[in-house]
Amino acid sequence: MVPAHGGRAAEPVYHPILACHRGELEALRHLDSATAALVAPVLDVSIVDRALAEAFTRLPPGLLPAVDVTALPDGPDAELARWNVPLVPVAGLADSDARLAAHGVAARAYAGRLVVRLRARSDRSGPDAATASVERIWRLTRLVPEQCELLVDAGDVCCPADVRLAEPRVRRLVDWARRHAWRAVTVAAGGLPPTRAGFPTDEPVRLERWDWLLWRRLADLGVRYGDYAVGCAVPGGEPLSDRLPTVRYTTDHAWWLYRWYRRGGRGDERVADLCRTLVSATHWPTAGAAFSWGDHEILRRARRVAGAGSTTNWAAWSTSHHLAHVLHQLRHDGDRRPTGRPTRAAGRRGEGPATAR
């Protein structure tokens, strides 16, 4: 059984999987220390440069990111012990022996723990194969299960059919996880579609948060919550060529996608108009600009006291609001609080809203 961790101070409750880009890192940088202790981001790294190392040094106290370098080839850049910043390595079931050994060195050098990321759609998920894979990880990293957190990554869930397919698969994996003494178990999924093409511009578009609905259906399992924040779980989605001012704004059950073409070619006018529309909407929080750093920046643009920003800034504002909103939901969720410890209850929650994508 996975051990409980009652009584720990500021145990993380939310595990967003974020692209390791400037916008996402900027959103993390503006978390206050109390909030940062509740967030344990998993950062997908695709390139290592000096700017990335500097960004890690600017993260707030109490924030300990997990770093996934699966996209990098074996070599010095993928040896996380060389980064000289506090982090938690992320191991995959298909990682090479050399990489797992290097992750073990990094785990012992920094936090003394590891995240094992099991991709529900692509990894061999039969119980015997999964057990053999994680035993190999423990052996090569020289860590024990109690030092490892399991991240069950359900991948892309962008419609009701995806949720129906993912739920039994995740339940089987969590049931298998009970065989081992994991430090904690998290289930994560991504609900945003892989492309914005085809959605209308100059009006907010409602998109269902299917990843949140999946987790609510798994509420009886007692696992922690993770998602892809306002990013996409499909690699290569959302092409960079789309430069329209865009904000993805999170509410309890949906995102509101704002893509703005209105008012011609001047970016500051388009962004100001977008932000004015957003702050006038019914889903603008009662706390307004105080809700998050991202909301503060959106209000500044609505009032025309700051410039338009860039794709990096828009991603940062959207991510900042999303992190704050999810933590608000988890703190005020009336049904349960995430503990990270899978329970043995077999029931499931109701379907929730059935709005089409």
Side-chain angles (χ1 to χ4, degrees):
M1 283 291 293
V2 179
H5 294 282
R8 286 188 175 182
E11 185 76 12
V13 297
Y14 176 34
H15 301 257
I17 300 172
L18 304 175
C20 199
H21 296 157
R22 286 184 298 164
E24 287 79 357
L25 292 170
E26 184 72 1
L28 292 174
R29 187 174 75 85
H30 283 90
L31 293 175
D32 62 65
S33 57
T35 301
L38 301 174
V39 180
V42 176
L43 301 177
D44 282 331
V45 176
S46 58
I47 187 171
V48 177
D49 56 22
R50 183 174 298 178
L52 176 61
E54 180 183 353
F56 269 72
T57 65
R58 299 167 64 199
L59 294 177
L63 185 75
L64 186 64
V67 176
D68 191 330
V69 291
T70 299
L72 301 179
D74 283 346
D77 283 348
E79 295 178 9
L80 297 175
R82 295 172 176 259
W83 288 28
N84 294 318
V85 291
L87 53 78
V88 177
V90 177
L93 272 58
D95 283 349
S96 68
D97 290 2
R99 177 162 295 188
L100 290 175
H103 282 344
V105 172
R108 292 188 295 277
Y110 298 133
R113 53 190 175 88
L114 180 81
V115 172
V116 176
R117 186 173 182 178
L118 196 163
R119 299 175 187 268
R121 290 193 174 189
S122 58
D123 289 330
R124 293 181 300 170
S125 56
D128 293 339
T131 296
S133 295
V134 297
E135 287 179 345
R136 170 176 167 267
I137 291 173
W138 296 328
R139 182 177 70 254
L140 291 170
T141 59
R142 295 168 52 199
L143 299 171
V144 296
E146 291 87 349
Q147 294 174 284
C148 299
E149 301 173 21
L150 178 65
L151 171 62
V152 178
D153 184 352
D156 184 41
V157 287
C158 288
C159 65
D162 286 346
V163 174
R164 288 193 297 269
L165 288 172
E167 182 182 354
R169 183 185 299 128
V170 170
R171 285 184 176 276
R172 287 193 296 269
L173 288 170
V174 174
D175 187 61
W176 160 81
R178 296 190 186 105
R179 301 181 180 187
H180 308 287
W182 297 100
R183 188 177 187 273
V185 176
T186 297
V187 172
L192 276 169
T195 178
R196 296 186 293 266
F199 290 113
T201 60
D202 300 332
E203 63 181 81
V205 178
R206 189 180 191 275
L207 302 173
E208 201 73 35
R209 286 178 61 196
W210 299 111
D211 49 356
W212 177 258
L213 175 59
L214 172 64
W215 189 72
R216 295 297 301 139
R217 290 172 63 125
L218 300 169
D220 57 283
L221 298 181
V223 293
R224 291 179 179 171
Y225 176 70
D227 60 19
Y228 278 75
V230 296
C232 175
V234 179
E238 299 190 355
L240 294 176
S241 58
D242 186 352
R243 299 288 182 177
L244 287 183
T246 301
V247 170
R248 288 152 288 188
Y249 202 76
T250 308
T251 60
D252 281 353
H253 299 293
W255 295 280
W256 288 91
L257 176 65
Y258 289 75
R259 295 175 72 232
W260 237 242
Y261 186 77
R262 187 182 296 171
R263 293 188 181 275
R266 289 196 58 183
D268 55 346
E269 293 180 355
R270 285 189 289 169
V271 171
D273 193 55
L274 183 160
C275 292
R276 281 195 299 268
T277 304
L278 174 51
V279 302
S280 300
T282 57
H283 47 260
W284 179 251
T286 303
F291 190 77
S292 73
W293 167 79
D295 290 286
H296 174 74
E297 294 301 303
I298 289 169
L299 184 60
R300 292 181 69 213
R301 271 69 189 183
R303 293 176 173 174
R304 299 294 297 271
V305 297
S310 65
T311 54
T312 294
N313 300 122
W314 308 329
W317 308 338
S318 301
T319 302
S320 173
H321 171 79
H322 180 88
L323 298 178
H325 189 90
V326 168
L327 284 174
H328 177 81
Q329 280 189 288
L330 293 174
R331 282 195 296 261
H332 296 87
D333 186 3
D335 293 321
R336 69 176 174 105
R337 293 180 182 269
T339 65
R341 179 173 63 90
T343 64
R344 291 192 178 276
R348 76 181 188 188
R349 301 283 175 182
E351 292 278 331
T355 306
R357 178 163 57 141

